[in-house]
Short mmCIF file of all heavy atoms in Angstrom, two decimals:
data_model
loop_
_atom_site.label_atom_id
_atom_site.label_comp_id
_atom_site.label_asym_id
_atom_site.label_seq_id
_atom_site.Cartn_x
_atom_site.Cartn_y
_atom_site.Cartn_z
N MET A 1 10.78 99.31 -53.89
CA MET A 1 11.72 98.23 -54.14
C MET A 1 12.61 98.60 -55.30
O MET A 1 12.22 99.24 -56.27
CB MET A 1 10.96 96.92 -54.53
CG MET A 1 11.87 95.74 -54.71
SD MET A 1 11.12 94.20 -55.22
CE MET A 1 9.78 93.98 -54.11
N ALA A 2 13.93 98.33 -55.14
CA ALA A 2 14.90 98.66 -56.20
C ALA A 2 14.65 97.81 -57.44
O ALA A 2 14.10 96.70 -57.37
CB ALA A 2 16.27 98.40 -55.64
N ASP A 3 15.10 98.36 -58.54
CA ASP A 3 14.94 97.62 -59.83
C ASP A 3 16.10 96.62 -59.95
O ASP A 3 17.23 96.91 -59.54
CB ASP A 3 15.01 98.57 -61.01
CG ASP A 3 13.75 99.40 -61.12
OD1 ASP A 3 12.64 98.96 -60.67
OD2 ASP A 3 13.79 100.50 -61.70
N ILE A 4 15.82 95.50 -60.57
CA ILE A 4 16.80 94.53 -60.93
C ILE A 4 17.16 94.75 -62.43
O ILE A 4 16.23 94.69 -63.26
CB ILE A 4 16.32 93.11 -60.66
CG1 ILE A 4 16.04 92.88 -59.17
CG2 ILE A 4 17.36 92.07 -61.14
CD1 ILE A 4 15.43 91.56 -58.84
N THR A 5 18.43 94.97 -62.69
CA THR A 5 18.85 95.16 -64.05
C THR A 5 19.94 94.14 -64.41
O THR A 5 20.34 93.40 -63.51
CB THR A 5 19.49 96.59 -64.26
OG1 THR A 5 20.71 96.65 -63.56
CG2 THR A 5 18.53 97.69 -63.77
N LYS A 6 20.39 94.16 -65.65
CA LYS A 6 21.46 93.27 -66.06
C LYS A 6 22.71 93.50 -65.29
O LYS A 6 23.59 92.60 -65.13
CB LYS A 6 21.71 93.36 -67.54
CG LYS A 6 20.62 92.85 -68.43
CD LYS A 6 21.03 92.81 -69.88
CE LYS A 6 20.61 94.01 -70.57
NZ LYS A 6 20.82 93.97 -72.06
N ASN A 7 22.90 94.73 -64.77
CA ASN A 7 24.11 95.09 -64.08
C ASN A 7 24.00 94.79 -62.55
O ASN A 7 24.94 95.04 -61.83
CB ASN A 7 24.42 96.56 -64.29
CG ASN A 7 24.83 96.82 -65.70
OD1 ASN A 7 25.53 96.07 -66.29
ND2 ASN A 7 24.29 97.91 -66.29
N THR A 8 22.86 94.28 -62.12
CA THR A 8 22.71 93.94 -60.73
C THR A 8 23.42 92.59 -60.44
O THR A 8 23.35 91.68 -61.30
CB THR A 8 21.21 93.75 -60.42
OG1 THR A 8 20.51 94.92 -60.75
CG2 THR A 8 20.99 93.43 -58.94
N THR A 9 24.15 92.50 -59.34
CA THR A 9 24.78 91.24 -59.05
C THR A 9 23.74 90.22 -58.66
O THR A 9 22.66 90.59 -58.21
CB THR A 9 25.86 91.39 -57.91
OG1 THR A 9 25.18 91.70 -56.66
CG2 THR A 9 26.95 92.38 -58.27
N ILE A 10 24.12 88.97 -58.76
CA ILE A 10 23.18 87.91 -58.35
C ILE A 10 22.79 88.07 -56.88
O ILE A 10 21.62 87.99 -56.54
CB ILE A 10 23.81 86.53 -58.59
CG1 ILE A 10 24.09 86.33 -60.09
CG2 ILE A 10 22.91 85.40 -58.07
CD1 ILE A 10 25.03 85.13 -60.35
N GLY A 11 23.78 88.34 -56.07
CA GLY A 11 23.49 88.54 -54.61
C GLY A 11 22.55 89.67 -54.34
O GLY A 11 21.61 89.52 -53.57
N GLU A 12 22.78 90.82 -55.02
CA GLU A 12 21.88 91.96 -54.85
C GLU A 12 20.47 91.65 -55.32
O GLU A 12 19.49 92.01 -54.72
CB GLU A 12 22.40 93.16 -55.63
CG GLU A 12 23.65 93.79 -55.09
CD GLU A 12 24.22 94.85 -56.04
OE1 GLU A 12 24.18 94.67 -57.31
OE2 GLU A 12 24.67 95.87 -55.50
N ALA A 13 20.37 90.97 -56.48
CA ALA A 13 19.07 90.64 -57.03
C ALA A 13 18.27 89.74 -56.07
O ALA A 13 17.10 89.95 -55.87
CB ALA A 13 19.24 89.93 -58.36
N LEU A 14 18.97 88.82 -55.44
CA LEU A 14 18.30 87.92 -54.48
C LEU A 14 17.90 88.65 -53.21
O LEU A 14 16.86 88.35 -52.61
CB LEU A 14 19.20 86.73 -54.13
CG LEU A 14 19.35 85.74 -55.27
CD1 LEU A 14 20.50 84.76 -54.95
CD2 LEU A 14 18.06 84.95 -55.49
N ARG A 15 18.64 89.68 -52.84
CA ARG A 15 18.27 90.49 -51.68
C ARG A 15 17.03 91.37 -52.03
O ARG A 15 16.16 91.55 -51.22
CB ARG A 15 19.39 91.35 -51.16
CG ARG A 15 20.46 90.55 -50.40
CD ARG A 15 21.47 91.45 -49.74
NE ARG A 15 22.39 92.11 -50.67
CZ ARG A 15 23.43 91.51 -51.21
NH1 ARG A 15 23.74 90.27 -50.97
NH2 ARG A 15 24.24 92.17 -52.03
N ILE A 16 17.00 91.85 -53.26
CA ILE A 16 15.87 92.65 -53.71
C ILE A 16 14.63 91.80 -53.82
O ILE A 16 13.57 92.21 -53.37
CB ILE A 16 16.22 93.34 -55.05
CG1 ILE A 16 17.30 94.37 -54.90
CG2 ILE A 16 14.97 93.96 -55.66
CD1 ILE A 16 17.91 94.87 -56.21
N ASN A 17 14.73 90.63 -54.43
CA ASN A 17 13.59 89.78 -54.60
C ASN A 17 14.00 88.30 -54.53
O ASN A 17 14.40 87.69 -55.51
CB ASN A 17 12.91 90.01 -55.96
CG ASN A 17 11.65 89.20 -56.15
OD1 ASN A 17 11.28 88.41 -55.32
ND2 ASN A 17 10.97 89.44 -57.24
N PRO A 18 13.93 87.71 -53.31
CA PRO A 18 14.34 86.32 -53.12
C PRO A 18 13.50 85.38 -53.95
O PRO A 18 13.96 84.25 -54.20
CB PRO A 18 14.09 86.07 -51.64
CG PRO A 18 13.94 87.42 -51.02
CD PRO A 18 13.51 88.34 -52.09
N ASP A 19 12.32 85.80 -54.41
CA ASP A 19 11.49 84.88 -55.19
C ASP A 19 12.02 84.57 -56.58
O ASP A 19 11.48 83.70 -57.25
CB ASP A 19 10.07 85.50 -55.34
CG ASP A 19 9.33 85.59 -54.01
OD1 ASP A 19 9.66 84.79 -53.11
OD2 ASP A 19 8.42 86.46 -53.87
N ILE A 20 13.08 85.24 -57.00
CA ILE A 20 13.69 84.93 -58.33
C ILE A 20 14.61 83.74 -58.25
O ILE A 20 15.09 83.22 -59.29
CB ILE A 20 14.44 86.14 -58.93
CG1 ILE A 20 15.70 86.49 -58.10
CG2 ILE A 20 13.50 87.33 -59.08
CD1 ILE A 20 16.64 87.43 -58.82
N ALA A 21 14.90 83.21 -57.04
CA ALA A 21 15.82 82.09 -56.89
C ALA A 21 15.43 80.90 -57.81
O ALA A 21 16.31 80.32 -58.51
CB ALA A 21 15.94 81.64 -55.48
N PRO A 22 14.15 80.47 -57.86
CA PRO A 22 13.81 79.39 -58.74
C PRO A 22 14.07 79.66 -60.25
O PRO A 22 14.46 78.75 -60.96
CB PRO A 22 12.30 79.19 -58.52
CG PRO A 22 12.05 79.78 -57.18
CD PRO A 22 13.02 80.89 -57.04
N VAL A 23 13.97 80.91 -60.64
CA VAL A 23 14.25 81.27 -62.03
C VAL A 23 15.78 81.02 -62.32
O VAL A 23 16.11 80.44 -63.32
CB VAL A 23 13.89 82.73 -62.36
CG1 VAL A 23 14.38 83.20 -63.69
CG2 VAL A 23 12.39 82.96 -62.23
N LEU A 24 16.60 81.47 -61.40
CA LEU A 24 18.03 81.32 -61.50
C LEU A 24 18.45 79.84 -61.49
O LEU A 24 19.26 79.39 -62.29
CB LEU A 24 18.78 82.12 -60.48
CG LEU A 24 18.51 83.61 -60.51
CD1 LEU A 24 19.22 84.32 -59.40
CD2 LEU A 24 18.88 84.23 -61.84
N LEU A 25 17.84 79.09 -60.58
CA LEU A 25 18.17 77.66 -60.49
C LEU A 25 17.73 76.89 -61.73
O LEU A 25 18.42 76.03 -62.24
CB LEU A 25 17.47 77.09 -59.23
CG LEU A 25 18.02 77.53 -57.87
CD1 LEU A 25 17.08 77.06 -56.78
CD2 LEU A 25 19.44 77.05 -57.71
N GLU A 26 16.56 77.29 -62.32
CA GLU A 26 16.04 76.63 -63.51
C GLU A 26 17.00 76.77 -64.70
O GLU A 26 17.07 75.86 -65.51
CB GLU A 26 14.70 77.27 -63.84
CG GLU A 26 14.04 76.83 -65.12
CD GLU A 26 12.78 77.59 -65.43
OE1 GLU A 26 11.88 77.60 -64.52
OE2 GLU A 26 12.70 78.19 -66.48
N ILE A 27 17.72 77.89 -64.77
CA ILE A 27 18.63 78.04 -65.92
C ILE A 27 20.05 77.61 -65.64
O ILE A 27 20.97 77.81 -66.41
CB ILE A 27 18.62 79.49 -66.39
CG1 ILE A 27 19.09 80.46 -65.31
CG2 ILE A 27 17.25 79.92 -66.91
CD1 ILE A 27 19.42 81.82 -65.87
N GLY A 28 20.25 76.99 -64.47
CA GLY A 28 21.55 76.40 -64.19
C GLY A 28 22.42 77.16 -63.22
O GLY A 28 23.58 76.76 -63.00
N MET A 29 21.94 78.22 -62.67
CA MET A 29 22.71 79.03 -61.69
C MET A 29 22.49 78.40 -60.31
O MET A 29 21.70 78.88 -59.51
CB MET A 29 22.31 80.48 -61.71
CG MET A 29 22.64 81.16 -62.98
SD MET A 29 22.15 82.90 -62.87
CE MET A 29 22.31 83.33 -64.61
N HIS A 30 23.24 77.33 -60.02
CA HIS A 30 23.05 76.65 -58.76
C HIS A 30 23.88 77.15 -57.58
O HIS A 30 23.67 76.71 -56.50
CB HIS A 30 23.32 75.13 -58.98
CG HIS A 30 22.38 74.49 -59.98
ND1 HIS A 30 22.78 74.02 -61.16
CD2 HIS A 30 21.03 74.36 -59.90
CE1 HIS A 30 21.72 73.59 -61.82
NE2 HIS A 30 20.63 73.77 -61.07
N CYS A 31 24.81 78.04 -57.86
CA CYS A 31 25.66 78.53 -56.80
C CYS A 31 25.22 79.93 -56.35
O CYS A 31 26.00 80.92 -56.41
CB CYS A 31 27.12 78.56 -57.32
SG CYS A 31 28.31 78.87 -56.02
N LEU A 32 23.97 80.03 -55.95
CA LEU A 32 23.40 81.37 -55.59
C LEU A 32 24.04 81.98 -54.35
O LEU A 32 24.07 83.15 -54.19
CB LEU A 32 21.89 81.24 -55.40
CG LEU A 32 21.11 80.71 -56.62
CD1 LEU A 32 19.63 80.69 -56.25
CD2 LEU A 32 21.39 81.57 -57.82
N GLY A 33 24.58 81.13 -53.46
CA GLY A 33 25.18 81.67 -52.23
C GLY A 33 26.69 81.70 -52.28
O GLY A 33 27.35 82.13 -51.30
N CYS A 34 27.32 81.30 -53.39
CA CYS A 34 28.76 81.26 -53.43
C CYS A 34 29.36 82.66 -53.63
O CYS A 34 28.68 83.58 -54.00
CB CYS A 34 29.25 80.30 -54.53
SG CYS A 34 28.99 80.89 -56.22
N PRO A 35 30.65 82.80 -53.39
CA PRO A 35 31.26 84.13 -53.50
C PRO A 35 31.09 84.76 -54.90
O PRO A 35 30.97 85.96 -55.01
CB PRO A 35 32.77 83.89 -53.21
CG PRO A 35 32.73 82.64 -52.33
CD PRO A 35 31.55 81.83 -52.80
N SER A 36 31.05 83.93 -55.94
CA SER A 36 30.88 84.50 -57.28
C SER A 36 29.56 85.26 -57.41
O SER A 36 29.46 86.26 -58.13
CB SER A 36 30.92 83.39 -58.33
OG SER A 36 32.21 82.83 -58.37
N ALA A 37 28.55 84.77 -56.74
CA ALA A 37 27.23 85.39 -56.81
C ALA A 37 27.24 86.77 -56.25
O ALA A 37 26.40 87.58 -56.59
CB ALA A 37 26.24 84.52 -56.10
N GLN A 38 28.19 87.07 -55.41
CA GLN A 38 28.23 88.42 -54.78
C GLN A 38 28.90 89.44 -55.68
O GLN A 38 28.69 90.64 -55.54
CB GLN A 38 28.98 88.36 -53.42
CG GLN A 38 28.32 87.42 -52.42
CD GLN A 38 26.83 87.62 -52.28
OE1 GLN A 38 26.36 88.71 -52.07
NE2 GLN A 38 26.07 86.55 -52.41
N GLY A 39 29.67 88.98 -56.68
CA GLY A 39 30.35 89.92 -57.58
C GLY A 39 30.02 89.85 -59.02
O GLY A 39 30.41 90.65 -59.85
N GLU A 40 29.27 88.79 -59.38
CA GLU A 40 28.94 88.56 -60.78
C GLU A 40 27.53 89.13 -61.09
O GLU A 40 26.58 88.92 -60.37
CB GLU A 40 28.93 87.03 -61.05
CG GLU A 40 28.76 86.63 -62.49
CD GLU A 40 29.00 85.17 -62.64
OE1 GLU A 40 28.23 84.36 -62.04
OE2 GLU A 40 29.87 84.79 -63.42
N THR A 41 27.52 89.94 -62.19
CA THR A 41 26.21 90.52 -62.54
C THR A 41 25.32 89.44 -63.23
O THR A 41 25.80 88.41 -63.70
CB THR A 41 26.40 91.66 -63.52
OG1 THR A 41 26.94 91.18 -64.79
CG2 THR A 41 27.32 92.73 -62.98
N LEU A 42 24.03 89.73 -63.31
CA LEU A 42 23.13 88.83 -64.01
C LEU A 42 23.53 88.69 -65.45
O LEU A 42 23.49 87.58 -65.99
CB LEU A 42 21.70 89.33 -63.87
CG LEU A 42 21.13 89.26 -62.46
CD1 LEU A 42 19.81 90.03 -62.38
CD2 LEU A 42 20.90 87.78 -62.02
N GLU A 43 23.97 89.76 -66.09
CA GLU A 43 24.40 89.67 -67.50
C GLU A 43 25.60 88.77 -67.64
O GLU A 43 25.68 87.92 -68.53
CB GLU A 43 24.72 91.05 -67.99
CG GLU A 43 25.06 91.08 -69.47
CD GLU A 43 25.19 92.47 -70.02
OE1 GLU A 43 25.69 93.39 -69.35
OE2 GLU A 43 24.72 92.69 -71.15
N GLU A 44 26.60 88.91 -66.76
CA GLU A 44 27.80 88.05 -66.79
C GLU A 44 27.41 86.57 -66.54
O GLU A 44 27.90 85.70 -67.22
CB GLU A 44 28.82 88.50 -65.72
CG GLU A 44 29.44 89.83 -66.05
CD GLU A 44 30.13 90.45 -64.85
OE1 GLU A 44 29.89 90.10 -63.70
OE2 GLU A 44 31.05 91.26 -65.11
N ALA A 45 26.53 86.36 -65.60
CA ALA A 45 26.13 84.99 -65.27
C ALA A 45 25.37 84.38 -66.44
O ALA A 45 25.55 83.20 -66.76
CB ALA A 45 25.28 84.98 -64.03
N ALA A 46 24.53 85.17 -67.07
CA ALA A 46 23.76 84.66 -68.24
C ALA A 46 24.77 84.26 -69.32
O ALA A 46 24.65 83.17 -69.93
CB ALA A 46 22.82 85.73 -68.76
N MET A 47 25.77 85.07 -69.59
CA MET A 47 26.76 84.76 -70.60
C MET A 47 27.49 83.49 -70.29
O MET A 47 27.67 82.59 -71.14
CB MET A 47 27.75 85.95 -70.73
CG MET A 47 28.82 85.76 -71.83
SD MET A 47 29.92 87.15 -71.99
CE MET A 47 30.77 87.08 -70.41
N VAL A 48 27.94 83.32 -69.02
CA VAL A 48 28.65 82.11 -68.61
C VAL A 48 27.80 80.87 -68.78
O VAL A 48 28.29 79.81 -69.14
CB VAL A 48 29.09 82.26 -67.12
CG1 VAL A 48 29.55 80.95 -66.57
CG2 VAL A 48 30.17 83.32 -67.01
N HIS A 49 26.48 81.03 -68.58
CA HIS A 49 25.57 79.88 -68.66
C HIS A 49 24.96 79.74 -70.05
O HIS A 49 24.06 78.89 -70.27
CB HIS A 49 24.49 79.98 -67.59
CG HIS A 49 25.07 79.78 -66.22
ND1 HIS A 49 25.23 78.54 -65.66
CD2 HIS A 49 25.45 80.63 -65.29
CE1 HIS A 49 25.71 78.65 -64.45
NE2 HIS A 49 25.92 79.89 -64.22
N GLY A 50 25.40 80.54 -71.03
CA GLY A 50 24.91 80.43 -72.35
C GLY A 50 23.47 80.84 -72.57
O GLY A 50 22.74 80.30 -73.43
N ILE A 51 23.04 81.80 -71.81
CA ILE A 51 21.65 82.26 -71.85
C ILE A 51 21.60 83.74 -72.28
O ILE A 51 22.47 84.52 -71.86
CB ILE A 51 21.02 82.08 -70.43
CG1 ILE A 51 20.97 80.66 -70.13
CG2 ILE A 51 19.66 82.76 -70.36
CD1 ILE A 51 20.98 80.38 -68.64
N ASN A 52 20.65 84.06 -73.08
CA ASN A 52 20.51 85.45 -73.51
C ASN A 52 20.11 86.32 -72.28
O ASN A 52 19.13 85.98 -71.59
CB ASN A 52 19.43 85.55 -74.58
CG ASN A 52 19.19 86.93 -75.10
OD1 ASN A 52 18.60 87.75 -74.36
ND2 ASN A 52 19.67 87.22 -76.26
N ALA A 53 20.84 87.36 -72.03
CA ALA A 53 20.60 88.19 -70.83
C ALA A 53 19.17 88.84 -70.86
O ALA A 53 18.52 88.95 -69.84
CB ALA A 53 21.65 89.23 -70.67
N ASP A 54 18.74 89.22 -72.05
CA ASP A 54 17.41 89.84 -72.17
C ASP A 54 16.32 88.84 -71.81
O ASP A 54 15.30 89.13 -71.18
CB ASP A 54 17.17 90.44 -73.53
CG ASP A 54 18.07 91.64 -73.80
OD1 ASP A 54 18.36 92.41 -72.80
OD2 ASP A 54 18.52 91.85 -74.91
N ASP A 55 16.53 87.55 -72.22
CA ASP A 55 15.53 86.50 -71.93
C ASP A 55 15.50 86.27 -70.41
O ASP A 55 14.44 86.13 -69.85
CB ASP A 55 15.90 85.20 -72.63
CG ASP A 55 15.70 85.29 -74.13
OD1 ASP A 55 14.99 86.24 -74.62
OD2 ASP A 55 16.24 84.40 -74.83
N LEU A 56 16.68 86.29 -69.79
CA LEU A 56 16.74 86.12 -68.34
C LEU A 56 15.99 87.23 -67.63
O LEU A 56 15.27 87.02 -66.72
CB LEU A 56 18.22 86.03 -67.86
CG LEU A 56 18.45 86.01 -66.35
CD1 LEU A 56 17.70 84.82 -65.70
CD2 LEU A 56 19.90 86.04 -66.05
N MET A 57 16.27 88.47 -68.13
CA MET A 57 15.63 89.62 -67.45
C MET A 57 14.11 89.53 -67.59
O MET A 57 13.37 89.96 -66.70
CB MET A 57 16.17 90.90 -68.02
CG MET A 57 17.71 91.14 -67.77
SD MET A 57 18.21 90.82 -66.06
CE MET A 57 17.27 92.08 -65.19
N ALA A 58 13.62 89.05 -68.72
CA ALA A 58 12.17 88.92 -68.96
C ALA A 58 11.62 87.91 -67.94
O ALA A 58 10.50 88.14 -67.38
CB ALA A 58 11.86 88.51 -70.33
N LYS A 59 12.31 86.82 -67.71
CA LYS A 59 11.84 85.79 -66.73
C LYS A 59 11.85 86.37 -65.34
O LYS A 59 10.92 86.16 -64.54
CB LYS A 59 12.73 84.56 -66.77
CG LYS A 59 12.53 83.71 -68.03
CD LYS A 59 13.43 82.49 -67.96
CE LYS A 59 13.20 81.68 -69.23
NZ LYS A 59 13.85 80.34 -69.12
N ILE A 60 12.88 87.15 -65.00
CA ILE A 60 12.94 87.73 -63.67
C ILE A 60 11.81 88.76 -63.51
O ILE A 60 11.17 88.82 -62.46
CB ILE A 60 14.32 88.43 -63.45
CG1 ILE A 60 15.41 87.31 -63.27
CG2 ILE A 60 14.31 89.33 -62.27
CD1 ILE A 60 16.79 87.84 -63.24
N ALA A 61 11.56 89.56 -64.50
CA ALA A 61 10.51 90.57 -64.42
C ALA A 61 9.09 89.95 -64.25
O ALA A 61 8.19 90.57 -63.70
CB ALA A 61 10.52 91.45 -65.70
N ALA A 62 8.95 88.69 -64.74
CA ALA A 62 7.67 88.03 -64.66
C ALA A 62 7.38 87.50 -63.28
O ALA A 62 6.24 87.09 -62.98
CB ALA A 62 7.61 86.93 -65.69
N VAL A 63 8.39 87.50 -62.40
CA VAL A 63 8.20 86.93 -61.02
C VAL A 63 7.45 87.91 -60.16
O VAL A 63 7.69 89.09 -60.19
CB VAL A 63 9.55 86.57 -60.35
CG1 VAL A 63 9.40 86.14 -58.92
CG2 VAL A 63 10.20 85.48 -61.18
#
């Protein structure tokens, strides 16, 4: 399985591990299927949502 990094887009991350969807929804990323999700990295999304990217990555890694 491929690694999910801060530079992984939301869409790619969900294809790699669909089980992370609840983590993303919990922090306010409700547009998982929208066009932005296909081009926005997890780091960019974290910044937009006011979340520390490293904290987000730790939550994703725990899934």
Side-chain angles (χ1 to χ4, degrees):
M1 184 183 310
D3 288 334
I4 296 174
T5 70
K6 290 189 267 190
N7 293 318
T8 305
T9 66
I10 297 167
E12 289 172 321
L14 288 167
R15 283 189 291 280
I16 292 167
N17 185 356
D19 294 335
I20 68 166
V23 172
L24 301 177
L25 291 169
E26 176 184 304
I27 62 168
M29 294 183 192
H30 297 115
C31 190
L32 301 181
C34 72
S36 294
Q38 301 311 309
E40 189 171 57
T41 67
L42 290 168
E43 184 172 39
E44 292 167 336
M47 183 178 65
V48 167
H49 290 277
I51 295 153
N52 180 287
D54 293 325
D55 292 343
L56 173 59
M57 296 312 298
K59 287 182 180 190
I60 288 172
V63 173

